[in-house]
Amino acid sequence: MKNILFLVLVFLFTGNVFCQWHRVSTDSITSGIRTFLFNQGKVFAGGANLYVSTDDGQTWQDEIPPGYFTGGVHSLAADSSHLYVGTGHGLHFSTDNGTNWFRSGIFTESIWALAAMGPYVIARTFTADNFYRSTDYGIHWSLGPALPNLERPLESMYSAYGKFFIGTNGSGSYVSSDSGCTWKKVSGDGLIGEGITLSGYQAFEGKLFLAANNVFCSTDSGSSWQSLQGSPWAPSALAAKDGFLFTAGSFGVSASSDCGKTWRTINEGFLDGHWWCNAIVATNKYLVAAVESEGIWIRPLSEVTGIGKTHDVTNRRFYLFQN
């Protein structure tokens, strides 16, 4: 039998190699992470204490000695000059991105939701039947106006596109265009009803997205909403980066590259059966998730956002091998 020489082309791929999630938090940070915030190069995580990462989420440490934020950290918010932390026993703020902290003396109860926009700050306390409003960066506070036709508790708060937003647990979404002075109730198809919790908002590519019993989208800055069919069920948090929208919940983490029209689960690397995510945030380099009872996990954004994209396949060199 004659020897046959086969021409074998060896291709070098310049496309992305998909990476997996991996845990980065210490053994002392395994549960209770409720919220994330990426602000001025630092990543903050609220749990039993306030934890901070200065390397895009790769390593974590206590922001200040444990015990300062009494009752743990429930909520985070920031504007261009102030960082706000809602705790189990009041509100704290920093004007230097967490180096020094001050306490707002008005609150003695838990602060479960916050949103900031310039000098204006709104806060939802544990009672959840109304909210407080500050016009001077959290120094002084007054009870906010009663929300129209509010029947169920407040849940989440957000600011984007020059407006404030408040999500409820069954009473729909509220929007304010005048820094929290007056509010409009937005019912929307599927936004109102028992068990429909509006758990978080996310501004993305000129639109506004809302995590409820599924993902909703608004193209008019929160004045009306449309349910995105096929989106993950009952997400708990949203994030966005590099043209991708991310959502997290009991299903783990899902990603969409077309503004929520289609979704792909990206749970590779999570422990089997342990991917319930309470919070998520995108930094400059990583997607950061809080996994229930498993601490903080990260995955490189460069690999995540490469999913579904066309890869450059180039023939760099070839060899001749003997059969």
Side-chain angles (χ1 to χ4, degrees):
M1 189 174 186
K2 294 182 179 180
N3 291 331
I4 302 175
L5 291 177
F6 290 92
L7 180 65
V8 180
L9 301 179
V10 178
F11 293 94
L12 298 181
F13 294 87
T14 60
N16 291 312
V17 178
F18 296 160
C19 186
Q20 296 184 345
W21 291 93
H22 63 279
R23 181 180 164 184
V24 292
S25 59
T26 62
D27 290 340
S28 63
I29 310 175
T30 57
S31 62
I33 301 298
R34 307 176 182 94
T35 181
F36 285 119
L37 177 67
F38 182 51
N39 188 60
Q40 298 180 26
K42 291 183 179 181
V43 195
F44 297 92
N49 193 22
L50 181 64
Y51 309 104
V52 63
S53 171
T54 58
D55 53 11
D56 285 284
Q58 298 179 79
T59 58
W60 294 84
Q61 58 273 343
D62 293 315
E63 171 67 5
I64 57 177
Y68 178 79
F69 296 112
T70 306
V73 174
H74 303 297
S75 54
L76 297 166
D79 64 7
S80 59
S81 61
H82 285 63
L83 174 64
Y84 302 92
V85 174
T87 75
H89 194 71
L91 180 75
H92 300 258
F93 64 90
S94 172
T95 59
D96 50 17
N97 205 33
T99 301
N100 297 285
W101 290 95
F102 306 91
R103 180 173 178 178
S104 178
I106 184 175
F107 297 111
T108 57
E109 58 181 313
S110 297
I111 308 298
W112 283 89
L114 286 167
M117 185 170 57
Y120 303 99
V121 191
I122 56 175
R124 175 214 138 185
T125 62
F126 179 74
T127 55
D129 55 1
N130 211 322
F131 70 97
Y132 289 86
R133 177 174 178 263
S134 172
T135 61
D136 56 5
Y137 296 99
I139 303 298
H140 301 92
W141 294 83
S142 61
L143 192 64
L147 299 180
N149 302 315
L150 178 66
E151 299 175 356
R152 295 181 180 272
L154 309 185
E155 182 69 26
S156 57
M157 293 179 166
Y158 192 68
S159 64
Y161 308 129
K163 298 180 179 182
F164 274 127
F165 303 91
I166 292 180
T168 68
N169 188 350
S171 284
S173 178
Y174 289 81
V175 57
S176 173
S177 301
D178 55 8
S179 304
C181 290
T182 60
W183 293 82
K184 175 186 176 182
K185 183 176 183 177
V186 183
S187 300
D189 183 24
L191 285 182
I192 291 181
E194 185 176 355
I196 301 178
T197 300
L198 279 57
S199 56
Y201 297 82
Q202 178 65 53
F204 177 60
E205 294 193 350
K207 300 178 181 180
L208 193 64
F209 293 85
L210 173 59
N213 57 318
N214 58 347
V215 180
F216 288 76
C217 178
S218 174
T219 58
D220 52 13
S221 300
S223 296
S224 62
W225 294 92
Q226 181 181 3
S227 175
L228 297 180
Q229 301 300 319
S231 60
W233 178 78
S236 57
L238 296 166
K241 189 75 172 180
D242 296 340
F244 274 69
L245 181 66
F246 303 99
T247 185
S250 59
F251 49 84
V253 180
S254 292
S256 173
S257 60
D258 52 14
C259 287
K261 295 179 182 179
T262 59
W263 296 84
R264 182 185 188 277
T265 302
I266 51 171
N267 288 342
E268 297 87 356
F270 286 143
L271 302 177
D272 290 342
H274 294 269
W275 50 61
W276 189 310
C277 294
N278 301 317
I280 191 170
V281 69
T283 71
N284 291 325
K285 297 180 179 179
Y286 296 96
L287 195 60
V288 185
V291 181
E292 181 71 23
S293 301
E294 298 294 341
I296 300 173
W297 294 61
I298 66 172
R299 185 171 181 175
L301 273 169
S302 59
E303 280 83 17
V304 175
T305 56
I307 295 174
K309 293 185 177 182
T310 301
H311 299 291
D312 175 29
V313 182
T314 305
N315 179 15
R316 300 297 188 191
R317 60 183 180 266
F318 67 89
Y319 297 95
L320 294 176
F321 289 93
Q322 183 78 33
N323 181 21

